[in-house]
Amino acid sequence: LWDSVQEAMVGRIENPDAGQRAITDVDWCSDLLASSSMDGFIPLYDLRDYKAPSVVLNSKVLGFAEVRCNKSRPGIIASAHGGQANCLKLWDTRAPAKPFGSSICRASGKVGRFHGNPRRGDEIASC
């Protein structure tokens, strides 16, 4: 973790149990840092104690992954997964065992970039 004011590294997240492959994306979720990787796991680190993830979401989908936190609805996270699934999944960190609702999947191609509407927490745009 880099502090741009101090221009120095202020911490390092190292956890061999979460994210065995290269990290593909990160996003800030209030006091949490979410990361995603090719192995389908999405560890969430509490920045007050980031030695181990406080929650680990398991998409059970290998391949490209992207993660975004909902800025207007804390605790809601969206993740996109490539590979054979090409799906966008929604997660509630208070019930992390599985995504809630239906996954949004594409018949062909992959879910590219996506972002939530900062004014309306129930809207997501993807391409």
Side-chain angles (χ1 to χ4, degrees):
L1 300 175
W2 184 263
D3 186 320
S4 61
V5 174
Q6 296 178 16
E7 296 184 0
M9 186 166 52
V10 294
R12 185 180 186 110
I13 296 174
E14 292 185 43
N15 183 0
D17 297 327
Q20 295 295 319
R21 296 190 183 183
I23 293 173
T24 57
D25 198 17
V26 295
D27 198 18
W28 297 105
C29 307
S30 190
D31 286 335
L32 297 175
L33 176 67
S35 69
S36 61
S37 67
M38 297 292 283
D39 63 7
F41 289 98
I42 304 166
L44 304 169
Y45 296 90
D46 187 325
L47 296 178
R48 296 166 290 197
D49 181 19
Y50 50 83
K51 295 189 179 20
S54 56
V55 175
V56 177
L57 308 173
N58 183 357
S59 72
K60 299 180 181 167
V61 177
L62 298 178
F64 170 80
E66 182 179 352
V67 64
R68 290 287 172 264
C69 301
N70 190 317
K71 306 303 184 204
S72 61
R73 291 181 63 194
I76 304 298
I77 293 175
S79 62
H81 305 275
Q84 295 177 348
N86 300 317
C87 291
L88 182 68
K89 297 179 181 229
L90 301 176
W91 305 86
D92 185 337
T93 60
R94 297 163 295 187
K98 62 181 182 174
F100 68 88
S102 299
S103 294
I104 303 163
C105 299
R106 294 182 58 141
S108 64
K110 70 174 186 169
V111 175
R113 304 291 294 174
F114 68 95
H115 291 278
N117 184 335
R119 294 188 180 144
R120 297 192 57 186
D122 56 348
E123 293 180 352
I124 294 175
S126 71
C127 59

